[in-house]
Amino acid sequence: MKRRTALVLALVPLLGACAAPLPVPEPEAVPAVAPAALESVQVDRVLTDLHAVLDDADAAGVAAAGAEDPGAARTAAVDTLGARAYGPAEQIRQAQYLLAATTGADALTTIPSGAQTVVDPATTTWPRVLMVVTDPSEDLQAPLLLTLVQEDPRSAYKLWAWERLFGGVELPATTLPGVGSDPVPADGGTATLTPEETIDQYVDVIAHGTESEYFDGFTDTPLQQRIAEQRSAWSAAVGQGTFTETYQPLDTGPWALATADGGAIVVGGFGGLTTLTLADSTLKVADPATTTLLGKDTITKNLNLAWTVTVAFSVPPAGSTDPVTVLGAEYALVAASGE
Amino acid sequence: MLSRVLASLLCLLGAAAIALGVASATVWRSSDTLAATASASGYLVTDPGVLDLAADEVTVTASATGPVTIALGRTADVEAWVGEDEATRVTGLATLTELTTEAGQGVSATSSPTATDAPSESATDTASATESPEPTDSATESADPSATESADASATESGDDAASGEDGEAAFADPSGSDLWLTEATGDGRATMTWERTDGRWSVLVAAASGDDVALTLTWPQEVTTPWLRPGVAGGSVLLVLGIAWWALILVRSRRAVAGVGAAGWFGHARDVLGSGRPSRAPSPTEGTTSVATAAESAAVPPVAFSAGRRAALSAVSASDTSVAPGATAGGLEQPPAAAGEPGPAEATGPRPSTAAQPTEILHVSADGAPMTRRQLRELREREERERAELAAADRHGRRPRPEPEPEPAATPGAPQGTGPAADTAGPQPGAVEWPRVGTVRMPERTASSPETTARVWPATAFGRAAGSDQAAPDQAVPDRAVPDRAVSDRAVPARAVPARAVPETPVPEAVTGRDTSDQAELDREAARTGLRRALDRAMRRKPATPPVAWSPLEASGETPEVPELPEPPAASSPSADAWRRAWGLPGTAPGANHDQGEEKR
């Protein structure tokens, strides 16, 4: 009996040794700093898919002019586009599909597929913002700054806006895409201005020009000059009538990512509404885009024009006395109506 | 008797240890993958760390009825995607084939703020969309739809999220195509993905498009160690060799003991071994019985001769000239008996059995994979020569009277008995009958397994030559190969090398004695190991004077006479430099001028 017990006692640890302990998961600790939200392969995939969708939608949008029901065809094109674009980008593109009826594919802004810079967000929350600087397009147009936004975990990164970069501007240094750039909340960040302040103040500058108290806070740009030119042209044309302009930031955005030095790249947009009221006169509209959107070239009573403008800023880090650099903008007439 | 049992036991133990060692690495080897499965309906999400639970590389397999998706992403992203929905979490291993799962809802909190945010945002969206940009409705007819559309879209989306959070599986979303995933795999019924460990926290989300049951299998490669293979085989081999050596020793001793009674002797014994070994391939009962009759050990020997390594083969083989035959160089060793065989009829039968024994021997050597060393061959040859001389001398008197009582007393009575029957009954007849058979049987085997080209090559090979010589009359075939010459020339090689390299005034004796002693020591060692001490002793006694070795004089000259003569200061480097120069065909050690030239050329 004693012997058997001894035998069992000797065997038990042997048997125990035979069964290796099951491995246990050893997860890494949750990182203190959020990793880049997108690996480069994911960025590539997103951009590839974006361009695939753009190509499809653009082809449909341009072809819509010849369709039996151009309106429905255009709507279908916009629906297609909706998979990868929303907000001002979708609006502007939709208007361009309309313009394509008269001017063809030239009406569409070329969005080059090559990316020379990727600013990847480092975050675990939503919405997430991805910024991409494209290569210069084939027709030597300026490179575009694309802003893609993922609103929530289950939606895709959608193109929110593109801006043509002005000649001579330099994009502020950002951290490598593998590391990721911190997202800047609309009302926060370490730059001299929060993104919301930036867009609000710039709208003020656009609306009031040199009279704006923020005029010196931004670099002068071709955008301001163009808006000023338009303004003077319309006010001259309206003669005895009235001419009003209102500008208001868009409801979505602004989006911002931190730069390496603590500043921010802010992308925002605003809508402009130009209202002309004629007094006992007719006005012949020369601008092809306006006439196309309007559907006629002569107005007798009034004219309402809706603009969508998207702007990219480089806001210097807190403590800097430099003005906010306007990196680029896209300015498009998206709707026109009048009698 | 006891020692035999012990020796056999040792062999058995050794074999068993080898077998166990091999089995531990083959039959009993544990699986080299670890595959664990979990299944659930809806979403199946692995916890961080589960993917690299058992190895750095994992193969994820998902199966379901219908389309199924495996999505891999950062754990935070996967959890955020799942959001408030019910998901089954895979937390670890339950057994070696099962994963533990935990039903969970709203895996992480990170997604909840966005979930709540989204509706409010979209609410303001729609509000502002209607409110702000267009006080005059008519202005933005075309712009309007898009604005409301996008707002609607986001509203419905977030609405879906909220709904799915509340209703559980009411709204099941397909994870495929999301930008969150680093990689994803989709398949109909089955999807597979491999993943290599990467820094960070990663998870997979598995779901059938329909939301039905889905099974997830994680397969990790396992590094399987075979800790018992080497010790088992090594220890077993040692035991086996010891056992065999013991057996060999026992046999040698017993032979000595039996010598007076009329044992078969080395020659006869070896033939017995070979003879009784052969039946295993081509049964010849007569041989088997004779061998058993002639020597008591022979019954025990064959297994040794066959199973044992080269040493056992040697002990059997070294006695018989036949064994030497297989190799190309060894083939020459056949010749002497053949040449000696000419004089008498006894000799004519003599070589026969030897050739008859060849096939088995060929198998032996090739099977062992241990061809005989040159020294062994030499020893054999020398013994042969001696025996031949004896035979030649004995021929005049009759069949191997064996005048010398000296080294091999066993051979005297044994030879007539052993070789006699072997030559008369077993030797020539089975040999003659078997030869073609063995030859024809084996050759096709080889050729059949090899492509035609090699079949054509075969005749040129050692085996082919052996077979060819067998088909021809052994007496004829053998002299053709004047191998002894080759052997001699082989040995002459160092001698030839000497004048080429060595400095004339080499103190030869030193080198010779040095080599002799080392040679002797080696031979002694070998003799001790094989138990063939006496045979070797004889061989050594007859050994011709060893020619000086090519390189030893060089070394000697480097030490003694040359150094003072050399003008160059570095005495130590001069021999090597000299050798170097000679190797490159430059003038040898000579005056400084030459030396300099050599260096300049260099």
Side-chain angles (χ1 to χ4, degrees), chain B residues 375-426:
Chain B
R375 178 175 294 115
Q376 288 163 342
L377 294 176
R378 202 195 308 139
E379 288 154 9
L380 282 168
R381 214 168 58 86
E382 281 156 6
R383 184 143 32 74
E384 266 174 10
E385 280 169 0
R386 185 179 45 76
E387 279 172 357
R388 212 189 313 132
E390 291 168 8
L391 288 170
D395 252 1
R396 285 155 214 143
H397 307 296
R399 270 200 183 194
R400 305 193 188 184
R402 196 62 37 104
E404 288 179 28
E406 175 239 41
E408 201 140 24
T412 327
Q417 283 177 10
T419 57
D424 293 343
T425 61

Side-chain angles (χ1 to χ4, degrees), chain A residues 20-31 35-42 45-46 49 75 78-79 84-87 90-91 94 98 123-128 150-158 178 246 248-252 255 271-273 275 293 302 304-306 334-339, chain B residues 34 43 47-50 52-54 74 76-77 80-85 91-96 110-111 114 117-118 121 124-125 128-129 132-136 138-143 145-147 149-150 153 157-158 161 164 171-173 177-184 197-202:
Chain A
L22 286 173
V24 180
E26 290 165 2
E28 281 182 27
V30 177
L38 291 164
E39 302 285 319
S40 60
V41 288
Q42 289 171 280
R45 205 170 56 205
V46 166
D49 196 48
T75 309
V78 174
D79 283 348
R84 280 290 177 186
Y86 81 119
E90 194 183 36
Q91 275 185 4
Q94 188 181 19
L98 260 176
T123 180
T124 54
T125 59
W126 280 266
R128 292 176 172 180
Q150 187 183 34
E151 288 275 7
D152 60 77
R154 289 197 186 180
S155 56
Y157 280 88
K158 293 182 179 179
T246 56
Q248 185 152 8
L250 294 178
D251 351 296
T252 53
W255 312 107
L273 196 63
T275 310
L293 289 176
N302 57 21
N304 299 303
L305 300 172
V334 293
S337 68
E339 289 173 24
Chain B
L34 170 56
Y43 306 117
D47 273 2
V50 169
D52 41 22
L53 183 66
R74 294 193 182 271
D77 289 353
W81 190 92
V82 171
E84 303 270 298
D85 287 1
T91 54
L93 277 179
T95 67
L96 285 173
T110 53
S111 59
T114 58
D117 273 357
E121 254 180 45
T124 53
D125 277 0
S128 59
S132 57
E134 286 91 42
T136 53
S138 57
T140 54
E141 260 178 3
S142 51
S146 71
E149 212 177 53
S150 62
E157 253 175 47
S158 53
D161 277 358
S164 60
F172 185 85
S178 170
D179 291 338
L180 289 180
W181 316 138
L182 183 65
T183 52
E184 63 174 79
R197 186 197 188 110
T198 307
D199 284 347
R201 291 156 63 89
W202 299 91

Side-chain angles (χ1 to χ4, degrees), chain A:
Chain A
M1 188 60 205
K2 205 174 175 185
R3 242 173 127 183
R4 193 184 295 170
T5 321
L7 189 72
V8 169
L9 282 179
L11 279 179
V12 163
L14 272 179
L15 286 175
C18 285
L22 286 173
V24 180
E26 290 165 2
E28 281 182 27
V30 177
V33 178
L38 291 164
E39 302 285 319
S40 60
V41 288
Q42 289 171 280
V43 174
D44 291 346
R45 205 170 56 205
V46 166
L47 292 180
T48 306
D49 196 48
L50 166 68
H51 285 102
V53 168
L54 274 176
D55 289 347
D56 285 354
D58 289 354
V62 171
E68 271 182 37
D69 183 355
R74 239 166 255 139
T75 309
V78 174
D79 283 348
T80 309
L81 188 68
R84 280 290 177 186
Y86 81 119
E90 194 183 36
Q91 275 185 4
I92 293 175
R93 207 60 166 182
Q94 188 181 19
Q96 289 179 342
Y97 292 156
L98 260 176
L99 296 178
T102 48
T103 55
D106 288 346
L108 309 183
T109 307
T110 309
I111 300 180
S113 55
Q116 54 173 304
T117 306
V118 171
V119 188
D120 193 359
T123 180
T124 54
T125 59
W126 280 266
R128 292 176 172 180
V129 180
L130 170 68
M131 294 185 184
V132 175
V133 179
T134 67
D135 290 327
S137 62
E138 287 162 13
D139 49 357
L140 297 178
Q141 294 286 312
L144 303 182
L145 174 68
L146 309 182
T147 304
L148 295 101
V149 179
Q150 187 183 34
E151 288 275 7
D152 60 77
R154 289 197 186 180
S155 56
Y157 280 88
K158 293 182 179 179
L159 183 66
W160 184 80
W162 69 83
E163 292 86 30
R164 293 172 212 262
L165 295 181
F166 299 132
V169 300
E170 201 172 310
L171 214 65
T174 51
T175 48
L176 290 172
V179 178
S181 305
D182 292 332
V184 179
D187 55 355
T190 57
T192 52
L193 298 175
T194 68
E196 277 178 355
E197 286 169 355
T198 308
I199 191 69
D200 287 348
Q201 292 185 8
Y202 194 67
V203 167
D204 194 69
V205 169
I206 291 292
H208 303 104
T210 50
E211 289 167 24
S212 169
E213 56 176 314
Y214 308 113
F215 183 79
D216 292 333
F218 296 87
T219 55
D220 195 15
T221 61
L223 173 68
Q224 282 162 269
Q225 294 161 17
R226 184 176 167 188
I227 289 176
E229 281 167 20
Q230 293 252 352
R231 184 181 297 142
S232 57
W234 285 115
S235 57
V238 81
Q240 299 287 314
T242 58
F243 167 77
T244 57
E245 257 188 351
T246 56
Y247 292 98
Q248 185 152 8
L250 294 178
D251 351 296
T252 53
W255 312 107
L257 290 173
T259 59
D261 60 2
I265 299 176
V266 175
V267 173
F270 55 91
L273 196 63
T274 304
T275 310
L276 299 166
T277 311
L278 299 178
D280 297 335
S281 64
T282 56
L283 180 65
K284 191 164 168 68
V285 180
D287 179 41
T290 311
T291 54
T292 306
L293 289 176
L294 194 61
K296 56 192 174 187
D297 60 357
T298 311
I299 52 163
T300 55
K301 282 185 182 171
N302 57 21
L303 177 67
N304 299 303
L305 300 172
W307 310 89
T308 294
V309 184
T310 58
V311 194
F313 309 91
S314 168
V315 184
S320 168
T321 54
D322 293 339
V324 173
T325 308
V326 182
L327 296 170
E330 179 72 334
Y331 174 86
L333 181 68
V334 293
S337 68
E339 289 173 24

Side-chain angles (χ1 to χ4, degrees), chain B residues 96-506:
Chain B
L96 285 173
T97 56
E98 277 174 60
L99 295 162
T100 49
T101 55
E102 237 175 71
Q105 184 178 8
V107 195
S108 102
T110 53
S111 59
S112 53
T114 58
T116 52
D117 273 357
S120 65
E121 254 180 45
S122 61
T124 53
D125 277 0
T126 43
S128 59
T130 48
E131 191 179 273
S132 57
E134 286 91 42
T136 53
D137 292 352
S138 57
T140 54
E141 260 178 3
S142 51
D144 235 350
S146 71
T148 48
E149 212 177 53
S150 62
D152 278 351
S154 64
T156 48
E157 253 175 47
S158 53
D160 272 356
D161 277 358
S164 60
E166 286 159 15
D167 308 344
E169 291 165 46
F172 185 85
D174 186 355
S176 66
S178 170
D179 291 338
L180 289 180
W181 316 138
L182 183 65
T183 52
E184 63 174 79
T186 304
D188 191 11
R190 183 186 162 86
T192 305
M193 168 195 292
T194 57
W195 164 246
E196 238 171 82
R197 186 197 188 110
T198 307
D199 284 347
R201 291 156 63 89
W202 299 91
S203 293
V204 288
L205 167 66
V206 176
S210 56
D212 289 345
D213 282 0
V214 65
L216 163 72
T217 303
L218 300 177
T219 309
W220 295 275
Q222 293 293 288
E223 203 172 293
V224 180
T225 54
T226 53
W228 295 108
L229 176 61
R230 285 181 182 210
V233 171
S237 307
V238 168
L239 289 180
L240 196 60
V241 167
L242 283 177
I244 288 163
W246 198 350
W247 257 113
L249 202 66
I250 291 167
L251 290 181
V252 170
R253 280 195 187 144
S254 64
R255 167 130 333 93
R256 262 189 227 158
V258 181
V261 190
W266 274 110
F267 203 87
H269 177 64
R271 194 151 294 153
D272 289 347
V273 168
L274 295 169
S276 54
R278 209 188 305 154
S280 65
R281 304 198 171 269
S284 66
T286 46
E287 272 189 345
T289 49
T290 39
S291 66
V292 169
T294 45
E297 308 88 12
S298 58
V301 169
V304 177
F306 274 91
S307 65
R310 106 198 224 194
R311 195 144 299 123
L314 244 185
S315 69
V317 153
S318 58
S320 70
D321 21 353
T322 63
S323 59
V324 191
T329 47
L333 294 174
E334 260 185 288
Q335 199 219 0
E342 282 162 20
E347 258 31 68
T349 57
R352 278 230 172 189
S354 73
T355 48
Q358 271 183 12
T360 33
E361 260 336 291
I362 287 163
L363 283 174
H364 242 297
V365 174
S366 59
D368 292 338
M372 302 181 83
T373 63
R374 197 180 292 178
R375 178 175 294 115
Q376 288 163 342
L377 294 176
R378 202 195 308 139
E379 288 154 9
L380 282 168
R381 214 168 58 86
E382 281 156 6
R383 184 143 32 74
E384 266 174 10
E385 280 169 0
R386 185 179 45 76
E387 279 172 357
R388 212 189 313 132
E390 291 168 8
L391 288 170
D395 252 1
R396 285 155 214 143
H397 307 296
R399 270 200 183 194
R400 305 193 188 184
R402 196 62 37 104
E404 288 179 28
E406 175 239 41
E408 201 140 24
T412 327
Q417 283 177 10
T419 57
D424 293 343
T425 61
Q429 284 167 8
V433 172
E434 257 173 50
W435 249 125
R437 221 204 302 167
V438 172
T440 48
V441 167
R442 199 149 294 127
M443 283 292 288
E445 265 177 16
R446 300 255 183 150
T447 50
S449 66
S450 55
E452 271 200 309
T453 44
T454 43
R456 260 175 236 145
V457 172
W458 262 112
T461 64
F463 188 85
R465 209 195 289 178
S469 73
D470 296 326
Q471 277 153 4
D475 293 6
Q476 274 187 348
V478 172
D480 283 5
R481 291 175 258 136
V483 184
D485 290 345
R486 213 191 300 162
V488 167
S489 69
D490 272 354
R491 249 197 260 154
V493 169
R496 236 189 288 140
V498 171
R501 289 199 185 181
V503 187
E505 62 271 19
T506 323

